[in-house]
């Protein structure tokens, strides 16, 4: 993925040269607006929680859901992956929200917050599932926290059954180096599948530009591995489209994108990518592995 310029500070503004009374008034107005926005967010969050708390999400049968997935593929996919008559990301999300409502979840690796922002614009406080493996970069955890603070989403940390220390005791230290497939399975794939079983559909940030293995990713499909409908609203977006959207809307992105990490996973299994390398070349470098297992 192309690097996204990340602003880490606030530059001087015209208010800095204003007279004291005008500056005081400006600060008071800003504080009042911040309080108003915070109150609105809490009211919106409370309405969503009242809607979903204390009741089970509906879960139609696999047969019904697979039929819905096929219908969505036909209605939204146009002439096929990459065709000019494919639905837009917003149209895909509108279909998903109408079809699944609160039974729709968003999966995020916290590389950026574009997908979470797109979905929450139509489904405020949507569950955003983050696989908290215990091995993430500090920057990724910071991005997760910023997303939870800045967007109207409900970030859900999806954790494995064993802590890192417990896994080390049971399987030996640094399993990720000896058997990355087993480590990914226990720390990412199985925990996410357990949580996904409570939903009917999940939206992912998979894009065709990510890698050759994702080049034909569809907007909507039946995910037989996880037994739910898989939705890839931004499958057709290029790196430039993704970056441009994030910049235009002031969205949070992981600072590691500007530090040579176009694809970000667990810290021990992710390295910087060199000039001319594939964007995912830094994932599990040296191993015959390019996916954690969730998307295959």
């Amino acid at each position: 993925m192309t690097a996204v310029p990340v602003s880490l500070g606030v530059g001087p503004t015209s208010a800095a040269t204003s007279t004291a009374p005008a500056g005081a008034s400006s600060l008071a107005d800003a504080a009042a607006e911040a309080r108003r926005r915070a109150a609105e967010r809490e009211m919106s969050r409370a309405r969503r929680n009242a809607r979903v708390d204390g009741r089970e999400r509906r879960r139609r049968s696999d047969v019904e859901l697979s039929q819905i997935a096929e219908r969505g593929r036909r209605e939204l996919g146009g002439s096929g992956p990459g065709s000019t008559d494919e639905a837009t990301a917003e149209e895909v999300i509108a279909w998903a929200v109408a079809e699944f409502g609160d039974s729709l979840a968003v999966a995020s690796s916290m590389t950026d917050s574009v997908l979470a922002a797109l979905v929450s614009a139509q489904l405020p406080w949507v569950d955003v599932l983050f696989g908290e493996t215990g091995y993430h970069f500090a920057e990724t955890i910071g991005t997760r926290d910023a997303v939870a603070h800045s967007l109207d989403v409900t970030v859900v940390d999806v954790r494995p059954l064993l802590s890192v220390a417990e896994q080390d005791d049971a399987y030996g230290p640094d399993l990720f180096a000896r058997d990355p497939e087993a480590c990914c399975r226990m720390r990412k794939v199985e925990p996410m599948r357990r949580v996904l079983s409570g939903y009917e559909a999940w939206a992912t940030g998979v894009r065709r530009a990510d890698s050759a293995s994702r080049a034909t990713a569809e907007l909507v499909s039946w995910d037989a591995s996880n037994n739910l409908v898989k939705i890839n609203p931004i499958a057709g977006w290029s790196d430039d489209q993704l970056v441009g959207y994030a910049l235009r809307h002031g969205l949070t992105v992981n600072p590691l994108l500007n530090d040579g990490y176009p694809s970000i996973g667990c810290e021990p299994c992710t390295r910087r990518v060199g000039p001319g390398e594939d964007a995912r070349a830094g994932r599990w470098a040296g191993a015959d592995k390019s996916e954690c297992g969730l998307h295959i």
Side-chain angles (χ1 to χ4, degrees):
M1 184 189 299
T2 306
V4 180
V6 180
S7 175
L8 299 180
V10 178
T13 66
S14 59
T17 59
S18 303
T19 61
S25 175
S26 177
L27 288 172
D29 290 345
E33 176 61 21
R35 289 193 296 271
R36 184 193 66 78
R37 169 61 178 152
E40 283 186 351
R41 289 188 84 220
E42 287 308 309
M43 289 178 62
S44 175
R45 191 201 305 267
R47 287 194 296 270
R48 188 266 185 180
N49 289 343
R51 188 174 69 243
V52 302
D53 284 354
R55 72 170 176 83
E56 292 186 8
R57 290 185 177 87
R58 59 176 180 160
R59 185 61 162 79
R60 286 166 284 193
S61 71
D62 289 354
V63 171
E64 290 176 289
L65 292 175
S66 64
Q67 291 172 345
I68 292 170
E70 175 58 23
R71 174 164 52 82
R73 186 190 67 80
R74 292 196 310 267
E75 293 176 0
L76 302 169
S79 304
S83 61
T84 57
D85 56 350
E86 275 190 316
T88 66
E90 289 81 3
E91 289 169 342
V92 173
I93 292 166
W95 175 85
V97 170
E99 192 66 57
F100 304 108
D102 295 313
S103 288
L104 170 69
V106 174
S108 177
S109 64
M110 297 301 167
T111 297
D112 61 72
S113 57
V114 170
L115 181 62
L118 284 165
V119 177
S120 65
Q122 300 192 50
L123 186 64
W125 307 108
V126 60
D127 289 346
V128 174
L129 310 181
F130 171 65
E132 173 47 299
T133 64
Y135 282 121
H136 282 297
F137 290 93
E139 291 86 347
T140 300
I141 299 302
T143 300
R144 176 203 63 188
D145 294 344
V147 168
H149 177 75
S150 62
L151 295 179
D152 291 346
V153 300
T154 304
V155 174
V156 178
D157 285 338
V158 179
R159 301 179 186 275
L161 296 177
L162 301 179
S163 68
V164 170
E166 289 169 338
Q167 179 174 293
D168 286 349
D169 288 342
Y171 297 95
D174 299 345
L175 181 63
F176 55 81
R178 294 179 287 105
D179 191 345
E181 288 290 349
C183 190
C184 282
R185 185 181 67 251
M186 287 189 287
R187 307 208 70 75
K188 296 178 73 173
V189 178
E190 291 175 351
M192 191 64 73
R193 283 181 176 161
R194 282 194 294 271
V195 172
L196 285 173
S197 66
Y199 300 88
E200 292 188 326
W202 65 320
T204 85
V206 165
R207 294 183 302 121
R208 296 166 194 147
D210 288 337
S211 64
S213 63
R214 300 180 177 186
T216 59
E218 295 188 287
L219 297 179
V220 180
S221 63
W222 172 245
D223 183 351
S225 296
N226 297 300
N227 293 319
L228 74 172
V229 181
K230 185 175 184 179
I231 302 161
N232 303 316
I234 58 174
W237 283 27
S238 67
D239 289 350
D240 287 345
Q241 284 178 286
L242 189 74
V243 169
Y245 190 91
L247 290 174
R248 286 194 306 276
H249 295 274
L251 297 177
T252 299
V253 297
N254 194 315
L256 292 173
L257 286 176
N258 283 330
D259 194 22
Y261 295 90
S263 180
I264 304 165
C266 292
E267 184 172 11
C269 300
T270 308
R271 65 161 174 83
R272 290 179 176 84
V273 170
E277 284 190 304
D278 182 90
R280 291 181 66 84
R283 303 290 296 276
W284 304 285
D288 184 21
K289 180 176 172 65
S290 61
E291 296 278 357
C292 68
L294 272 176
H295 299 294
I296 55 176

